[in-house]
Amino acid sequence: MSTPSGFDELIHPSTRLSVVALLAATEWADFPFIRDSLSLSDSALSKQLHTLEEAGYLEIRKEGGGRKRRTKVRLTSRGRTAFEGHVAALRAIVEGAGPATAAGPAPEAAGATAPVTQQRQHHAKAGR
C-alpha cells in the first residue's frame, strides 16, 4: 500500500500531532496551556515547537520581559494546510481498510468473534 498524498512525516509522531491538533483548534495558545494540556515537560515541548517552527508550521511569539515573559504559539497557514492534509491522509488510510468491512466482516474477524458468540449462547442456555 502506498502512502496517501498529504501524509506528513514531520507531523505524524504522536507528540507533534497532538501539538498541531491542539493549535488547530485555536488562534494562539500560551506555552503553559500547551504543556499542561499535553502533559509534557518544558524541554520536551520546546523541542517539538522548535522542530515545527523550523518547518514553517508554527509562529512563536515572546511577549513581555523578565518574570512576566510569555510565549505564545500559533499554527501558520502552512502548518494548518499540512495538518489538514495529514488528517485527510490518515482518513484515507483508515477508509482504505474499510472495503472488507463494507461487504461484511473479514474472515479472520468472523472467526475471531464466533467463539465469543458461541460462549455467550452457551452461557445463556446454561442459565449463567
Side-chain angles (χ1 to χ4, degrees):
M1 180 173 118
S2 65
T3 303
S5 172
F7 188 89
D8 192 312
E9 293 284 347
L10 185 74
I11 291 175
H12 191 67
S14 62
T15 301
R16 282 189 224 134
L17 182 58
S18 296
V19 168
V20 174
L22 182 66
L23 292 172
T26 186
E27 182 65 28
W28 286 92
D30 290 325
F31 185 95
F33 172 77
I34 301 166
R35 179 197 61 214
D36 296 345
S37 295
L38 302 179
S39 300
L40 295 172
S41 66
D42 286 355
S43 61
L45 178 56
S46 291
K47 180 179 177 182
Q48 300 307 323
L49 294 179
H50 180 72
T51 299
L52 291 164
E53 182 185 34
E54 280 187 333
Y57 290 179
L58 300 182
E59 179 182 346
I60 299 175
R61 217 179 255 175
K62 305 222 183 239
E63 299 176 344
R67 295 181 57 86
K68 302 269 187 197
R69 188 171 185 123
R70 289 179 28 175
T71 301
K72 298 182 79 160
V73 184
R74 76 174 181 103
L75 277 181
T76 61
S77 58
R78 179 179 179 180
R80 191 168 300 276
T81 299
F83 173 67
E84 290 168 357
H86 189 68
V87 169
L90 292 175
R91 283 192 178 116
I93 291 169
V94 171
E95 290 169 3
T101 58
E108 301 81 17
T113 59
V116 173
T117 304
Q118 289 169 356
Q119 282 179 339
R120 286 186 187 143
Q121 290 171 350
H122 174 72
H123 288 296
K125 288 179 187 175
R128 294 184 203 167

